[in-house]
Amino acid sequence: MDTFAALAHGMAIAVQPMNLLYALIGVFLGTAVGVLPGIGPALTVALLLPVTYKLDPGGSLIMFAGIYYGGMYGGSTTAILINTPGESASMATALEGNKMAKAGRGGPALATSAIGSFVAGTIATIGLAFLSPYLVDIAVRFGPEDYFALMCVAFITVSATFGDSPIRGLTSLFIGLVLGLVGIDKLTGQARLAFGVPELLDGVEVTTLAVGLFAVGEALYVASRRHHTEEKIEAVKGSLWMTREDWRRSWKPWLRGTMFGFPIGALPAGGAEIPTFLSYSTERRLTKYPDEFGKGAIEGVAGPEAANNASAAGTLVPLLTLGLPTSATAAMMLAGFQQYGLNPGPLLFAERPDLVWGLIASLFIANTMLLVLNLPLVGLWVRLLKIPTPWLYAGILVFATMGTIAAKPSVVELSMLAGFGVLGFLMRRFDFPIAPVVVGLILGPIAESQLRRALAISLGDPMTLLQSPISATLLVVALIALIAPFILKGLGRFKANED
Amino acid sequence: MSFRTRLFGAVVALMTLAGAPVSAQQLELKVMAPAAPGGGWDQTARAMQQAFVASGVARSVQVTNVAGAGGTVGIAQFVNGAKGDGNQLMVNGFVMVGALAMNKSPVTLEQVTPIARLTEEIQVIVVPANSPIKNAQDLAAALKADIAKVTFAGGSAGGVDHVMAALFAGTVGADAKKVNYIPFSGGGESLAAILGGKVTAGISGLSEYDGQIKSGKLRAIGVSSENRIPGVDIPTFKEQGIDLVLANWRSVVAAPGITPEQKKTLSEAVEKMVKSDAWKEILKQKGWDDAYLAGDAFADFLKKENVRVTDVLKSVGLVKS
């Protein structure tokens, strides 16, 4: 069947009143759980599975997709407003977004994130409809060595989050890498740095670390500074909406973010975090306003948010075409398919085109609904910032604790949250950047296991990293990214001498 | 467990309760899934919840999730927290046996009270469609020629896929110690590695690769069942002269220190649940095979699997003896 005809057919299914209702319930639930740290879209879908089991398969899958997209929206709201990323994919958003919110530009930050998510989600869903068969062929060619090379690129670009001092940035990164070692080693099944505590065997939860460092750490820091200088949070300064200038500065990052998010999301081990960081560092390099980065640059919100949502659509490529779940939420959706006796994979498009295309079409609808749902809320959300500081931060602490308990009800987890909070406070106090810690925790374990897998497959021969064309290309990119700044600096000095 | 889970549990219980016949003997049970929501153990626990209530064996069933380390965290909490409580059950399975050994868990499966094995899933070995390996004997020959060059992709280290790789190598006369097994997280990633031709063969539950096998992207070279599975056109290893029978089973156990009467009540409840139409319906939907085995036969089975898995894991160096 022609893709356009199939899509039109899908649209006809998706706009049936019941399916529209499911999509609405989905995006609403998704936004709600995305806002709460700890409870992500994966858990929500898992809990809904038994409830939806008697519903019509098309409708409930449409609802799950709505939850997935909605979760990506919701996570950014708390990241921007109260520096509490609802999930690890919204972490890059928190970096600039929260700074913007504190400077009274929370409105434009939320707006650029909502519109950017819409733009990226729409483009990526078009990509899903038209490019899936081609993309998936490339995606399965990615072997462990290629992932390792991709991680190298990511590690190098991470330096963009270092702030002013590379030494301090590297220190933070290494703290994160050490935390990444905690738990059962994926390749040998042996426990590392768990000190006999069974709760540590699964490693450190990224959201616990992020919420501890960002939210709890900041609350402690603000409390400690209270009698020194009154840091003023301005709720609204200037326009609540995006100005012409904001639009001008946002549209390119949206598109670039999509370019990172969609293909990397489609990789079986790509995930949503890596594209958000790649996008953040790209925007930081390309910006015409480098001074604003670290103080609330709109590009730093627009790019990662777009990347984040595009990767959500990317994840559906291997899920629908191969039955490959590449994120926790996708794995839950796969369980959802199987509950109805459907096996996603090469046969699904042929056997149940109504379902697949109905799902894809409803993604467009979910996206539009999310924009309609979220834009009017911007005005309401920014009012949160008018709450007096002590109340606001007390609320953040309650919120962070609740989210952590909801995700993992254990004393060990709460102690970790508190411990990371203190760590975050100390790092702020002594001026160490926070983001590299979380980046280290996310990337470290992936890089390690992919490298070791690659070496196990090649029987210990490191040349495998250069023999694969994808890996070799990515390593060259990493090398260029590493030395280019120095060369450019050198050239600059050279030119300055000539003058 | 979170309030949400409980709430949803209650909603499900209520929904199913509406149509349930009332019986004289009604229990209020708690079932622990020692894993995060969504996995196999969680799905088993929630399926039991549904069938218990729908068949009228229990008035209410509450499912709790205690995730962590292949069940190590959950069983520790179960053994300490549920001791002597005749209303609590825990789901477990093949993977827990290895996880407990590898994590040197102070709590073992010998401490819980075995009730019954419920389901099992047959394992399959696949190769990419363009692989020169056509059947299990080809794979055996390749293993014997140079075992290090044969790479297996599968799930977590020490899990059922890993044990099967080692057993396969051992059974065909290769050195199981040297088996080159590459663990991936989740079926998705390992599937990509197999489809991309990065590894020689892949191991997983049959249902996970079903779509790829049917579409011809993967070639199944053998399944680990005793006899041919009805409706599945894949030869068993036994047919191909390789004596390897293995299934990824899931079972249910009760708390330590319960009285024989309590054990009897629970065993009867589980038996009634397993024989209910609701349970059969769920098995059909999920594609699980009924593998009900209770009483002393199950206790024996559990002991034997424990010995077999621990031996294999010792032989591949995952468990230090």
Side-chain angles (χ1 to χ4, degrees):
Chain A
M1 210 186 326
D2 180 31
T3 308
F4 279 104
L7 197 57
H9 178 60
M11 265 306 169
I13 294 169
V15 295
Q16 285 166 11
M18 269 322 273
N19 288 343
L20 278 178
L21 184 67
Y22 284 130
L24 186 67
I25 296 173
V27 295
F28 190 75
L29 271 178
T31 311
V33 300
V35 167
L36 207 60
I39 296 189
L43 190 66
T44 314
V45 174
L47 296 175
L48 281 176
L49 269 184
V51 182
T52 56
Y53 147 90
K54 288 193 173 137
L55 301 180
D56 139 66
S60 52
L61 288 174
I62 286 170
M63 182 162 83
F64 293 158
I67 292 175
Y68 191 22
Y69 272 31
M72 291 289 168
Y73 266 79
S76 56
T77 307
T78 45
I80 291 171
L81 289 175
I82 57 176
N83 211 3
T84 308
E87 4 123 51
S88 48
S90 335
M91 235 187 51
T93 313
L95 294 176
E96 297 299 320
N98 188 245
K99 296 272 163 45
M100 282 184 74
K102 282 189 180 152
R105 310 223 325 117
L110 287 170
T112 196
S113 108
I115 302 169
S117 296
F118 172 74
V119 171
T122 307
I123 297 177
T125 310
I126 295 173
L128 171 68
F130 292 94
L131 299 177
S132 288
Y134 314 102
L135 208 59
V136 84
D137 276 341
I138 301 169
V140 297
R141 266 186 234 143
F142 252 70
E145 61 279 3
D146 307 320
Y147 282 112
F148 176 69
L150 181 65
M151 294 303 135
C152 290
V153 177
F155 268 120
I156 286 168
T157 53
V158 159
S159 60
T161 61
F162 278 2
D164 302 327
S165 156
I167 294 290
R168 281 162 193 267
L170 278 175
T171 312
S172 296
L173 183 66
F174 275 96
I175 295 177
L177 290 176
V178 170
L179 289 174
L181 291 177
V182 175
I184 295 173
D185 170 31
K186 290 212 177 64
L187 273 89
T188 59
Q190 306 299 308
R192 298 191 297 200
L193 297 178
F195 308 107
V197 181
E199 280 84 358
L200 285 180
L201 287 175
D202 278 350
V204 176
E205 194 75 42
V206 177
T207 42
T208 306
L209 179 72
V211 171
L213 286 180
F214 280 86
V216 180
E218 178 155 307
L220 294 176
Y221 183 73
V222 170
S224 79
R225 297 262 106 184
R226 194 154 164 71
H227 294 292
H228 296 274
T229 46
E230 191 83 8
E231 192 189 348
K232 202 145 165 86
I233 296 180
E234 287 192 66
V236 183
K237 189 175 147 196
S239 168
L240 186 58
W241 298 104
M242 291 170 69
T243 58
R244 186 184 290 267
E245 174 77 1
D246 290 334
W247 280 96
R248 194 178 59 72
R249 287 174 58 178
S250 288
W251 72 271
K252 276 189 206 151
W254 288 339
L255 296 184
R256 282 192 290 258
T258 312
M259 293 304 126
F260 282 116
F262 182 60
I264 296 182
L267 289 178
E273 294 90 1
I274 296 160
T276 56
F277 283 114
L278 286 178
S279 162
Y280 177 78
S281 57
T282 310
E283 295 316 326
R284 193 169 180 145
R285 292 245 159 94
L286 292 180
T287 182
K288 292 200 185 92
Y289 312 88
D291 299 346
E292 282 186 30
F293 264 84
K295 297 190 193 93
I298 197 163
E299 292 92 340
V301 181
E305 258 317 291
N308 169 352
N309 262 58
S311 81
T315 306
L316 294 175
V317 172
L319 180 70
L320 290 177
T321 51
L322 286 178
L324 269 184
T326 58
S327 71
T329 315
M332 290 321 307
M333 288 179 63
L334 183 66
F337 276 103
Q338 281 161 346
Q339 163 169 304
Y340 299 110
L342 302 165
N343 277 316
L347 300 178
L348 190 66
F349 274 85
E351 281 173 1
R352 295 296 299 272
D354 52 329
L355 203 84
V356 176
W357 290 105
L359 179 67
I360 293 177
S362 68
L363 290 176
F364 286 109
I365 293 172
N367 232 330
T368 317
M369 279 182 178
L370 278 166
L371 191 68
V372 175
L373 191 73
N374 278 281
L375 274 184
L377 283 178
V378 167
L380 188 73
W381 284 125
V382 290
R383 244 175 258 166
L384 261 185
L385 296 172
K386 286 192 179 153
I387 299 172
T389 318
W391 296 11
L392 179 65
Y393 280 97
I396 293 175
L397 282 181
V398 171
F399 200 63
T401 316
M402 243 171 51
T404 309
I405 300 188
K408 241 190 188 178
S410 102
V411 180
V412 178
E413 203 68 21
L414 266 191
S415 316
M416 280 206 277
L417 180 75
F420 291 141
V422 173
L423 179 69
F425 165 70
L426 291 174
M427 292 181 72
R428 270 190 183 72
R429 170 69 187 74
F430 297 103
D431 212 18
F432 283 85
I434 307 276
V437 183
V438 188
V439 174
L441 178 67
I442 296 171
L443 296 185
I446 312 179
E448 186 206 349
S449 44
Q450 298 291 12
L451 176 63
R452 285 170 60 194
R453 267 180 209 141
L455 291 178
I457 291 174
S458 75
L459 309 181
D461 180 9
M463 287 311 286
T464 181
L465 296 175
L466 298 178
Q467 278 158 359
S468 150
I470 305 176
S471 164
T473 316
L474 285 170
L475 286 176
V476 170
V477 170
L479 194 68
I480 292 171
L482 187 66
I483 55 177
F486 295 103
I487 294 178
L488 289 177
K489 221 190 230 169
L491 276 180
R493 209 173 288 151
F494 188 65
K495 270 191 191 149
N497 284 346
E498 266 191 345
D499 283 343
Chain B
M1 199 51 234
S2 76
F3 172 69
R4 250 160 217 269
T5 321
R6 284 192 190 164
L7 190 68
F8 276 117
V11 170
V12 177
L14 279 175
M15 278 167 59
T16 28
L17 194 65
V22 184
S23 106
Q25 182 201 32
Q26 287 209 319
L27 298 160
E28 286 185 22
L29 296 173
K30 276 188 185 168
V31 181
M32 178 200 279
W41 291 344
D42 176 64
Q43 287 185 43
T44 307
R46 286 174 203 280
M48 282 171 67
Q49 176 185 46
Q50 245 176 337
F52 264 133
V53 176
S55 60
V57 176
R59 186 165 57 225
S60 77
V61 178
Q62 190 190 341
V63 173
T64 56
N65 295 81
V66 182
T72 310
V73 179
I75 191 177
Q77 189 171 322
F78 186 71
V79 164
N80 296 323
K83 192 174 265 172
D85 186 341
N87 289 317
Q88 296 210 34
L89 293 169
M90 181 183 75
V91 174
N92 70 339
F94 190 101
V95 179
M96 191 187 274
V97 177
L100 293 178
M102 286 199 303
N103 295 327
K104 302 185 193 77
S105 166
V107 176
T108 67
L109 276 172
E110 275 152 37
Q111 283 167 272
V112 296
T113 310
I115 298 291
R117 185 179 68 188
L118 298 174
T119 62
E120 64 180 22
E121 186 169 18
I122 298 303
Q123 295 278 111
V124 64
I125 298 186
V126 295
V127 293
N130 58 2
S131 164
I133 293 170
K134 305 284 179 209
N135 54 44
Q137 281 301 342
D138 287 353
L139 184 63
L143 278 168
K144 277 189 268 188
D146 186 353
I147 186 162
K149 279 201 181 134
V150 179
T151 46
F152 288 99
S156 59
V160 60
D161 305 339
H162 194 171
V163 169
M164 179 146 136
L167 280 174
F168 187 91
T171 312
V172 301
D175 186 358
K177 233 180 276 168
K178 292 188 185 145
V179 71
N180 195 352
Y181 181 81
I182 323 254
F184 286 83
S185 35
E189 262 188 75
S190 63
L191 182 53
I194 306 161
L195 288 173
K198 303 284 173 189
V199 292
T200 318
I203 304 182
S204 180
L206 181 56
S207 66
E208 201 157 331
Y209 292 163
D210 202 35
Q212 319 296 330
I213 295 170
K214 280 190 187 138
S215 71
K217 293 206 170 189
L218 292 178
R219 183 187 310 128
I221 60 165
V223 288
S224 66
S225 54
E226 182 79 41
N227 300 306
R228 279 244 178 173
I229 310 164
V232 175
D233 187 27
I234 306 168
T236 65
F237 294 122
K238 269 197 145 175
E239 274 175 62
Q240 304 180 65
I242 294 163
D243 188 18
L244 171 61
V245 175
L246 180 99
N248 188 4
W249 47 269
R250 291 181 199 141
S251 63
V252 58
V253 297
I258 57 171
T259 64
E261 290 79 50
Q262 284 174 321
K263 186 182 172 186
K264 190 162 165 271
T265 313
L266 283 174
S267 303
E268 282 171 3
V270 170
E271 186 173 357
K272 263 191 211 154
M273 188 274 297
V274 169
K275 299 212 163 126
S276 70
D277 291 337
W279 180 251
K280 283 175 192 147
E281 179 68 18
I282 293 169
L283 290 187
K284 213 168 82 190
Q285 255 162 10
K286 304 249 182 199
W288 295 340
D289 291 325
D290 185 11
Y292 181 64
L293 183 73
D296 293 341
F298 172 59
D300 272 355
F301 170 81
L302 203 56
K303 272 196 198 112
K304 276 191 198 137
E305 284 290 270
N306 199 2
V307 172
R308 171 158 90 146
V309 173
T310 314
D311 280 353
V312 172
L313 294 179
K314 272 183 192 160
S315 81
V316 294
L318 283 180
V319 173
K320 305 276 180 301
S321 40

